Structures are given as C-alpha cells and as structure tokens.
Amino acid sequence: MENNVIKLLQQMEREFIAAARDSEKFVEGNNSAGTRVRKCMQNIKNLAQRVRIEVQEQKHAIAA
C-alpha cells in the first residue's frame, strides 16, 4: 500500500514538471502559459499544505 504522503509528493512533482514546461513557453512570449504556471504553483502550494497535514496526522497516529 502506498502512503498518502508519497502520492501527494508525486502529484506535486507532476505539477512542477508542467510548470517548468509552461515557464519556458512564457519566457518565449506566450502569456497564456504564464497563467498556467501560476495555476500550477497554486496547486503545488495546496498540495504542500496537504502534505504537512498528512505528516502531522501520521505522526500523531504513531505516537498514540
């Protein structure tokens, strides 16, 4: 069974790769790609918060 933290980190990795691709397009002048980069970064931020919560919950479950 795969841990939720790992799944969330893999989602973050996919978002980061997409942001990196779109950032190259943005630098070349594609403004729509800039919007997609911002969206990916917001998704990464939200996923990071979910990772923090999941780690904390697992930590407390082990301690209990």
Side-chain angles (χ1 to χ4, degrees), residues 4-58:
N4 281 340
V5 173
I6 300 299
K7 288 179 185 177
L8 290 168
L9 290 171
Q10 288 170 340
Q11 281 182 273
M12 286 177 68
E13 180 181 25
R14 287 190 294 272
E15 288 286 343
F16 186 81
I17 290 168
R21 269 194 306 263
D22 280 329
S23 67
E24 290 176 11
K25 293 176 185 176
F26 175 70
V27 169
E28 294 169 358
N30 183 336
N31 286 335
S32 296
T35 300
R36 291 191 300 271
V37 169
R38 292 180 63 234
K39 181 179 178 186
C40 286
M41 297 310 295
Q42 184 65 39
N43 290 341
I44 290 169
K45 176 185 169 190
N46 292 336
L47 287 166
Q49 183 61 35
R50 288 175 55 196
V51 168
R52 290 174 45 93
I53 291 168
E54 185 67 29
V55 167
Q56 191 69 18
E57 286 174 355
Q58 287 185 26

